[in-house]
Amino acid sequence: MKEKIAKIKENSIKEINQCNDEKALNEIRVKYLGKKGELTAILRGMGSLTAEERPIIGGLVNEVRDELEAFIQKKEKEFKRKELETRLKTENIDVTEPSKKVTLGSLHPITQIIEEVEEIFLGMGYQIADGPEVEKAIYNFDKLNTPVDHPARDLQDTFYITDDIVLRSQTSPVQARVMEKQKPPIKIICPGTVYRSDSVDATHSPVFHQIEGLVVDKNIAMTDLKGTLEMFAKKCLGENTKIRFRPHHFPFTEPSAEADVSCFVCGGKGCRVCKGEGWIELLGCGMVHPNVLTYCGIDPEEYSGFAFGFGVERIAMAKFGIEDMRLLFENDVRFLKQF
């Protein structure tokens, strides 16, 4: 038995010295030290030895095992050292070589406008509110004074998930949710993505971005609305920008108005951008309808408010002189690099 152990030691050391990589070394470890290895087989057969032979043979096997494990570990370190030396020679970096040019991106025009508008209204004491894009019809319509038989609830105008769930057609539902949870004074803007069943053309898209504003407090009047929008227009489109109101109808405001701004290109003289009119339609606005306040748990006898909303794409097109809305969604890098 001693001769067999000595032979195993001799053969294993010889094979370890001859192996050229870690894979071969691991195979040798399994061959001699594994569960079915040659040294392990000797330990399993010790039941056939006498009581006097067992401790002698057991000690000898353990001694050889320890020597082989130490020798294998030494060989592993040698392989790792050689591998590192090879990598250092082949993967060296020339620090004097010019680096690759890194092309930096920029914010999308839509994102630029949203952030700019947010900064303007934050400066006026507004807070930013957010809500779900997949919305309950009660928030998208009912609480905004748009009952079930109203034309705006037609399937042709809105994307319905179920009879009670829609893709929000404006960010107004955020206003309703805030009014339900927060007592006046309320002063918020609601930026976000909205969805309508519009055909795609130069000025329409079924997916676009909107920013709406809401103020609710005691003694809020139409003059507060106009002053706010004048301040916004001057900050966003230039200090010389003028604003005008035209009567309109929205179910959630009364009275309602369309707000136009003087053309920032020609200053109101008339040009290609404003189609010779001198004015550019910017947004819809008005005083919050008493029914909307009531539906949201606010007493219209004590509080009043104003609301406004505009498409971000419309602001971007006006500010950057973009004539086709589709350019904002095609993500052509050549177009986006201009901004």
Side-chain angles (χ1 to χ4, degrees):
M1 187 68 75
K2 290 181 180 181
E3 291 78 9
K4 185 177 181 179
I5 295 172
K7 189 66 175 177
I8 290 174
K9 178 180 178 181
E10 180 184 347
N11 291 340
S12 60
I13 290 176
K14 183 179 179 181
E15 291 180 25
I16 291 171
N17 282 324
Q18 291 176 347
C19 72
N20 298 315
D21 53 47
E22 289 190 62
K23 182 179 179 182
L25 186 64
N26 189 57
E27 290 175 354
I28 294 170
R29 178 191 280 112
V30 173
K31 179 180 178 181
Y32 292 102
L33 305 178
K35 291 182 178 181
K36 297 181 180 180
E38 296 185 17
L39 275 179
T40 308
I42 292 176
L43 290 174
R44 288 179 176 174
M46 288 181 63
S48 61
L49 301 178
T50 63
E52 292 79 11
E53 291 177 320
R54 287 174 192 163
I56 297 172
I57 298 301
L60 187 58
V61 170
N62 288 331
E63 181 182 332
V64 172
R65 177 185 290 277
D66 291 342
E67 288 182 21
L68 291 181
E69 286 180 345
F71 195 33
I72 289 171
Q73 289 179 5
K74 181 180 178 183
K75 197 72 174 177
E76 279 181 338
K77 291 180 180 178
E78 185 180 329
F79 285 142
K80 291 184 183 297
R81 179 178 55 80
K82 288 182 178 180
E83 181 186 359
L84 179 60
E85 289 176 354
T86 302
R87 290 180 62 188
L88 289 173
K89 289 178 181 178
T90 58
E91 298 179 8
N92 59 317
I93 300 173
D94 183 1
V95 295
T96 64
E97 184 180 356
S99 62
K100 294 181 180 179
K101 184 179 179 180
V102 178
T103 303
L104 295 177
S106 61
L107 292 176
H108 191 280
I110 295 297
T111 306
Q112 290 183 38
I113 295 297
I114 291 174
E115 291 190 354
E116 181 179 350
V117 172
E118 287 177 345
E119 286 298 316
I120 292 172
F121 280 101
L122 286 172
M124 290 193 282
Y126 284 68
Q127 294 180 318
I128 299 172
D130 193 16
E133 294 179 17
V134 181
E135 184 58 275
K136 293 180 179 179
I138 190 173
Y139 287 105
N140 198 71
F141 295 119
D142 296 79
K143 287 184 179 292
L144 301 176
N145 202 33
T146 309
V148 70
D149 56 350
H150 195 282
R153 299 184 72 149
D154 195 299
L155 287 172
Q156 295 178 354
D157 298 326
T158 309
F159 292 108
Y160 279 81
I161 307 300
T162 68
D163 289 343
D164 301 319
I165 304 293
V166 299
L167 297 183
R168 67 182 182 188
S169 54
Q170 62 260 333
T171 57
S172 304
V174 181
Q175 300 180 17
R177 288 178 175 274
V178 171
M179 284 190 284
E180 270 191 344
K181 297 178 181 178
Q182 180 180 331
K183 291 184 63 176
I186 298 171
K187 203 174 182 182
I188 59 170
I189 59 169
C190 318
T193 308
V194 297
Y195 307 84
R196 294 182 189 174
S197 187
D198 287 335
S199 299
V200 178
D201 58 30
T203 57
H204 295 86
S205 170
V207 182
F208 60 101
H209 301 81
Q210 194 178 56
I211 298 178
E212 295 197 15
L214 172 71
V215 172
V216 179
D217 203 349
K218 294 180 179 179
N219 303 316
I220 298 297
M222 199 79 170
T223 51
D224 299 310
L225 170 60
K226 190 170 185 183
T228 298
L229 294 181
E230 281 183 341
M231 175 68 74
F232 162 68
K234 290 179 183 295
K235 291 287 185 182
C236 185
L237 300 174
E239 286 297 325
N240 295 323
T241 304
K242 298 178 182 178
I243 192 167
R244 73 175 184 183
F245 281 0
R246 288 180 291 107
H248 198 71
H249 168 73
F250 298 110
F252 32 81
T253 53
E254 180 60 38
S256 303
E258 288 277 10
D260 301 333
V261 291
S262 56
C263 180
F264 65 93
V265 175
C266 65
K269 297 177 181 178
C271 67
R272 178 175 56 85
V273 175
C274 63
K275 299 178 181 178
E277 296 182 3
W279 296 91
I280 297 175
E281 182 183 320
L282 187 68
L283 52 82
C285 59
M287 300 302 293
V288 179
H289 199 292
N291 288 351
V292 174
L293 295 175
T294 302
Y295 295 151
C296 296
I298 296 175
D299 185 0
E301 297 295 327
E302 183 178 2
Y303 295 100
S304 58
F306 65 74
F308 57 87
F310 54 85
V312 178
E313 283 79 3
R314 179 168 292 178
I315 298 290
M317 292 172 72
K319 190 163 186 177
F320 297 130
I322 300 169
E323 297 183 358
D324 194 326
M325 182 188 292
R326 288 169 290 195
L327 292 170
L328 294 167
F329 297 102
E330 290 173 351
N331 290 326
D332 189 323
V333 175
R334 295 168 297 179
F335 169 76
L336 295 177
K337 278 183 177 179
Q338 301 175 71
F339 311 101

